[in-house]
Amino acid sequence: VTGVQTCALPICADVGSESLAVTYTLADGVNGKASNYQLAGQNINGSITKRTLTMTGTSIGSREYDGTKFSGTVTVGTVGNTVGLEDLVITGAGSDFSSADVGSENLTVTYSLANGTTGKASNYQLGTQTVSGSITKRTLTMGGTTIQSREYDGTKLAGTVTVGTAGNLVSGENLTVTLNNVANFTSADVGSESLAVTYTLADGVNGKASNYQLAGQNINGSITKRTLTMSGTTIQSREYDGMTTA
C-alpha cells in the first residue's frame, strides 16, 4: 500500500498544520488480488515546521564606560539556510553586562525576524548566540592646570604645577586626580616653554579610577629673570664746582 499526498500550493507552503487528503493505490500482494479490495482516502494531519537559520559574523561594538550595564551596538552578521532567494529583515540585541565596570564579557545576542521582500519571518527561526562585548575606559578632559612661573636658578626644573578640574565624569562619580610628572625645561635660561604634564588617577568616594583614562597635556611654563640685590655702592664726595653732576 502506498500513500499519495494531495495538497494544492501555495496553501501548504508556509509553516503550520493542516489536514491533508491522502489517497491510496492497491497492488497485488503475494496471495491477494488488489481487484478484490477498495480503500477510501483519508484526511491526515501534517505539519511544516520553521526552518532554522544560521548566523555568522555578528559583533557587538565596544562602548565607553557610562555607569550602566547596557550592551554596545549589535551588528548583525550574515544569515544562512534561507530558501532560495528569500530574504528577511534581521535585527539583534545584546544582553546586559553583569557589571557596569570596564572589561570584556560574553553576551547573549537575541535576534528578531521580520518579513523581507520575498521571505516570511513566520517560516523561520533563529536561536541566540554568544558574542563578546567590551566596555572601554571613559576619557576624561582636564581644564585649568597651570605651571607657576619661577625665577631663574640655573636649573631646568619646572615650576609648581596646580592640577585643574577633570571633566566628562559619569554623573555622581568623582576621582582624585594628582600630578604624575612634569617635564623639565629644555634650557635653564629665562624664557617660556610648553611642558608635558601627566596625571595619576585614584578612586574617589564613588568613582573607580580603573574605569577612566586621562591623557597628558602640554602646559606653558616660564622661567623669569632673577632679581639681583646690590650692596656697598658709594658716591664719592666732591668739591663744589657750581655743577649739578655727581
Side-chain angles (χ1 to χ4, degrees):
V1 178
T2 58
V4 179
Q5 172 184 322
T6 59
C7 175
L9 295 176
I11 295 173
C12 60
D14 293 329
V15 166
S17 296
E18 195 173 323
S19 182
L20 306 178
V22 177
T23 58
Y24 302 97
T25 299
L26 304 179
D28 291 347
V30 176
N31 54 3
K33 291 183 178 180
S35 59
N36 291 327
Y37 295 91
Q38 61 183 358
L39 179 56
Q42 291 178 300
N43 288 326
I44 305 294
N45 193 64
S47 298
I48 299 175
T49 59
K50 292 187 176 186
R51 188 176 184 90
T52 300
L53 299 172
T54 61
M55 178 63 71
T56 57
T58 292
S59 62
I60 298 176
S62 297
R63 68 164 183 81
E64 190 176 69
Y65 170 76
D66 63 3
T68 71
K69 297 180 180 180
F70 296 129
S71 164
T73 301
V74 174
T75 300
V76 174
T78 302
V79 68
N81 201 36
T82 54
V83 172
L85 297 177
E86 290 189 0
D87 66 301
L88 298 169
V89 177
I90 303 176
T91 56
S95 61
D96 289 348
F97 289 92
S98 61
S99 167
D101 294 329
V102 166
S104 295
E105 194 175 323
N106 285 328
L107 305 180
T108 300
V109 174
T110 303
Y111 297 98
S112 296
L113 306 180
N115 292 342
T117 305
T118 56
K120 291 183 179 180
S122 58
N123 289 329
Y124 292 92
Q125 61 185 355
L126 179 55
T128 61
Q129 285 185 305
T130 299
V131 179
S132 181
S134 296
I135 298 175
T136 59
K137 291 186 176 187
R138 188 177 185 89
T139 300
L140 297 175
T141 59
M142 176 59 72
T145 294
T146 59
I147 299 176
Q148 185 176 4
S149 297
R150 68 162 183 82
E151 193 177 67
Y152 170 77
D153 64 2
T155 72
K156 297 179 181 180
L157 299 177
T160 301
V161 177
T162 301
V163 174
T165 303
N168 199 36
L169 286 153
V170 170
S171 179
E173 294 191 4
N174 61 81
L175 297 173
T176 300
V177 183
T178 55
L179 174 69
N180 176 51
N181 184 65
V182 58
N184 291 336
F185 290 95
T186 58
S187 168
D189 295 331
V190 168
S192 295
E193 196 173 324
S194 183
L195 304 179
V197 175
T198 57
Y199 303 97
T200 297
L201 303 180
D203 292 348
V205 177
N206 54 2
K208 292 183 179 179
S210 57
N211 289 329
Y212 293 90
Q213 61 185 356
L214 177 57
Q217 291 179 301
N218 288 327
I219 305 294
N220 193 64
S222 297
I223 298 175
T224 59
K225 291 185 177 184
R226 189 176 187 90
T227 301
L228 299 176
T229 61
M230 178 61 70
S231 61
T233 298
T234 61
I235 300 176
Q236 186 177 6
S237 298
R238 67 169 179 80
E239 189 177 65
Y240 169 75
D241 63 2
M243 305 293 291
T244 58
T245 57

